[in-house]
Amino acid sequence: MKLLDIVIETPYGFCINFEFHKSNTTEEIIVRNILYLVNFRLETKKLIKSYIISMGDEKSIRKAKIGPELEIELPIIFIKKFNGTEILKNIKCKIEKNIAITEDDLFNLIFLPFMKNEKSEYEITKEIIYLINKIDLTEEEQYQIKACQILLIDIFIPEKEKEKMMKVVNMGSTFLENYEKNLVQKAEQKAKKDSEKEYTKKLNEEKQNLAKKLKEDNIPPEKIIQYTGLSLNIIQKL
């Protein structure tokens, strides 16, 4: 069972996809994840890394065959193996002593409710939401962290408290509004440079190039249709 899916754009020119699963992963889940990554790359032209966050165990399937000679393995993080109580204690100690918070610390803060904890998921979620407001974050970090917090509120906070916690997430900051304005401005600038027709043409060319490579690897036509979205007629002509 998939809980949620998050894509974060990093300052380093690539994106990270986090896919959360409450139970063990299957080959079908791996294939679906691979298909998503291929389509994301084709449509956005951005590099993307994928991590599956599992609340299952080591019995989870990590690999999937998408052709006679093509097998892909995705990294799985078994979140229940982490000691959330100890991690939270160390981060709070850093904040109290004004020690710089690392990217790993921020990563752990977001996933704390899914780890082993002495407190309930509800209690941990509330605590980290207030705690993150004490950390000095860049605008980019604020957007990414707070977007994740909103998802945690949706999962772990009761309906009657959601509005209050949403106000805490956005307390004293207009970063989300400013960030969205910047995204709109960038999109408008890009639209002026590339017409929709030209973009579609380039996208189809990339899909056809991918389809050619898959055909060379003897991937079945039905799989190529899945991975590229091209019609059987076009694939047969390549």
Side-chain angles (χ1 to χ4, degrees):
M1 175 183 175
K2 183 162 73 171
L3 287 174
L4 58 107
D5 206 340
I6 300 174
V7 175
I8 295 175
E9 187 168 358
T10 73
Y12 309 108
F14 65 89
C15 298
I16 300 177
N17 169 238
F18 294 109
E19 187 171 299
F20 295 79
H21 289 272
K22 195 169 185 178
S23 56
N24 289 338
T25 54
T26 63
E27 186 172 5
E28 181 184 357
I29 288 172
I30 302 299
V31 171
R32 188 175 66 242
N33 188 280
I34 293 168
L35 175 59
Y36 171 77
L37 299 179
V38 170
N39 286 331
F40 184 93
R41 172 63 174 157
L42 288 171
E43 291 176 10
T44 68
K45 305 188 188 312
K46 294 178 181 178
L47 296 174
I48 183 167
K49 298 180 180 180
S50 182
Y51 295 90
I52 292 177
I53 313 298
S54 174
M55 297 179 72
D57 55 36
E58 297 290 345
K59 295 179 182 178
S60 290
I61 301 297
R62 300 166 182 262
K63 300 178 181 179
K65 278 192 173 183
I66 59 172
E69 300 179 3
L70 187 57
E71 186 176 60
I72 296 179
E73 179 175 358
L74 293 179
I76 301 178
I77 300 172
F78 296 101
I79 206 72
K80 285 295 184 183
K81 295 170 64 175
F82 291 76
N83 187 333
T85 301
E86 192 62 30
I87 288 172
L88 179 58
K89 179 181 175 181
N90 291 336
I91 292 175
K92 289 169 74 174
C93 183
K94 278 188 173 184
I95 293 173
E96 290 170 5
K97 295 181 179 180
N98 291 320
I99 299 174
I101 298 297
T102 66
E103 286 188 7
D104 285 343
D105 292 330
L106 293 176
F107 176 90
N108 286 330
L109 273 175
I110 291 303
F111 300 130
L112 268 172
F114 300 98
M115 300 178 187
K116 286 183 180 178
N117 289 289
E118 294 176 354
K119 299 179 181 179
S120 68
E121 294 163 339
Y122 161 73
E123 291 173 314
I124 290 294
T125 299
K126 286 187 67 174
E127 186 169 357
I128 63 174
I129 285 173
Y130 283 105
L131 188 63
I132 287 175
N133 278 327
K134 298 179 181 180
I135 302 173
D136 186 22
L137 301 172
T138 65
E139 186 173 279
E140 181 76 18
E141 288 171 336
Q142 285 189 57
Y143 178 77
Q144 294 170 357
I145 296 297
K146 289 178 184 277
C148 293
Q149 283 182 290
I150 291 170
L151 292 172
L152 294 179
I153 289 172
D154 191 52
I155 296 172
F156 297 121
I157 300 297
E159 198 66 39
K160 61 182 180 180
E161 292 186 50
K162 283 183 180 179
E163 185 177 352
K164 175 185 174 182
M165 296 311 298
M166 288 292 287
K167 289 179 180 178
V168 175
V169 167
N170 294 291
M171 185 167 51
S173 176
T174 58
F175 78 91
L176 193 56
E177 181 181 349
N178 292 335
Y179 192 87
E180 288 176 346
K181 284 181 179 179
N182 289 335
L183 289 180
V184 171
Q185 288 175 355
K186 289 179 182 178
E188 289 175 347
Q189 290 170 0
K190 189 177 187 305
K192 291 177 182 178
K193 294 179 181 178
D194 298 312
S195 67
E196 185 177 343
K197 183 177 179 180
E198 184 65 19
Y199 173 77
T200 302
K201 179 182 176 182
K202 290 178 181 178
L203 179 60
N204 285 332
E205 287 175 354
E206 290 196 20
K207 286 184 177 182
Q208 289 182 27
N209 288 335
L210 175 61
K212 285 181 182 178
K213 291 178 182 178
L214 293 174
K215 282 185 70 175
E216 291 171 0
D217 289 336
N218 296 318
I219 304 300
E222 59 269 23
K223 289 290 185 182
I224 300 177
I225 292 172
Q226 264 190 313
Y227 300 147
T228 64
L230 296 174
S231 67
L232 179 60
N233 186 42
I234 293 175
I235 293 170
Q236 290 174 337
K237 292 180 180 178
L238 294 174

